[in-house]
Amino acid sequence: MIKHAYLFLVIALFFSCKGNGQTVDSVSINEELNPGNNFVFSGDYNDLLTLEMASRITGFDASKAKKMHTMKGMMGETLRYYWENGREEVKGKSASNRKTVSYPRSDLVQLKWVDGEADMESFLDFIDLEAHPELVEISSVGQRAYWNSEKQHLEVYYNGVSFTLQVDISNDGNLDKEKTIELAKLIITEQF
């Protein structure tokens, strides 16, 4: 008889939660903190950066772009769109013949080091602010973003996803930085 009483009590408690506004479905912490955010990174870098987006940021013709997707599925995966527009970088004069030396340079947009299961703590550990004083916080991008002035790229964290982004389309570092920040905002706005 006592067994039946316990069984009845368990069943009553189970059904008392049903229908009174309580849910039995689990909700992730990310959804609680960011209601309406349904983005889940699938692991495919193309979900974050499309050729259309890269072309829009650079102003370059998408049909002339080349795509390189190296180390796909591995930790060092990189998605790169690039254009051969005839840009050259001047390296200075050589000591032997005292002529200015210039090298051809591709214009590129690239995405790398995407972590779809990041949290703020792991993101900050990854970028390691103490070891990299060259990082400068960019407050207008995502939940956290840092510009690396040495490597000329942006580290971004937003809603459980972190990524590294670079736009290199000119010999003007300030313009490249502006375009990289603009692309990060575009990715967050359109893809999340």
Side-chain angles (χ1 to χ4, degrees):
M1 186 71 167
I2 294 178
K3 288 181 186 179
H4 292 289
Y6 284 121
L7 181 61
F8 178 75
L9 181 61
V10 169
I11 292 171
L13 287 173
F14 177 74
F15 284 108
S16 69
C17 291
K18 195 169 184 134
N20 66 358
Q22 298 177 6
T23 61
V24 292
D25 296 335
S26 62
V27 178
S28 74
I29 293 171
N30 193 32
E31 289 172 348
E32 288 178 16
L33 296 175
N34 303 298
N37 173 28
N38 296 322
F39 179 80
V40 176
F41 179 62
S42 69
D44 186 351
Y45 282 37
N46 294 291
D47 287 347
L48 292 179
L49 179 62
T50 65
L51 172 58
E52 186 273 330
M53 293 170 82
S55 180
R56 195 172 359 153
I57 287 297
T58 63
F60 301 145
D61 186 354
S63 67
K64 295 181 179 178
K66 296 177 185 169
K67 179 180 178 181
M68 186 181 338
H69 200 159
T70 58
M71 299 179 68
K72 192 171 184 176
M74 302 175 89
M75 186 176 284
E77 182 174 352
T78 301
L79 173 60
R80 177 179 298 147
Y81 297 103
Y82 64 100
W83 292 260
E84 300 299 339
N85 292 325
R87 179 165 61 116
E88 292 186 337
E89 182 177 7
V90 176
K91 289 289 187 179
K93 296 182 179 186
S94 65
S96 61
N97 60 12
R98 297 180 185 213
K99 291 183 181 177
T100 302
V101 179
S102 49
Y103 299 94
R105 185 92 188 245
S106 298
D107 295 317
L108 66 89
V109 174
Q110 71 179 6
L111 173 71
K112 60 184 177 179
W113 298 107
V114 178
D115 181 358
E117 298 177 354
D119 56 37
M120 187 65 74
E121 185 178 343
S122 65
F123 171 71
L124 293 173
D125 285 345
F126 174 74
I127 62 171
D128 195 3
L129 291 170
E130 290 180 16
H132 298 283
E134 70 275 11
L135 295 176
V136 176
E137 186 168 7
I138 307 296
S139 60
S140 61
V141 179
Q143 289 171 291
R144 283 279 175 91
Y146 294 90
W147 177 255
N148 186 319
S149 59
E150 287 182 12
K151 296 181 180 178
Q152 299 292 300
H153 68 230
L154 186 67
E155 305 279 358
V156 180
Y157 174 81
Y158 185 72
N159 283 348
V161 179
S162 67
F163 56 91
T164 301
L165 193 62
Q166 181 180 27
V167 176
D168 182 5
I169 58 171
S170 75
N171 294 333
D172 179 356
N174 289 326
L175 176 63
D176 290 343
K177 178 181 176 181
E178 288 173 19
K179 290 292 187 176
T180 304
I181 291 169
E182 187 180 337
L183 180 57
K185 289 177 180 179
L186 184 65
I187 288 172
I188 289 168
T189 302
E190 292 191 7
Q191 304 304 77
F192 283 81

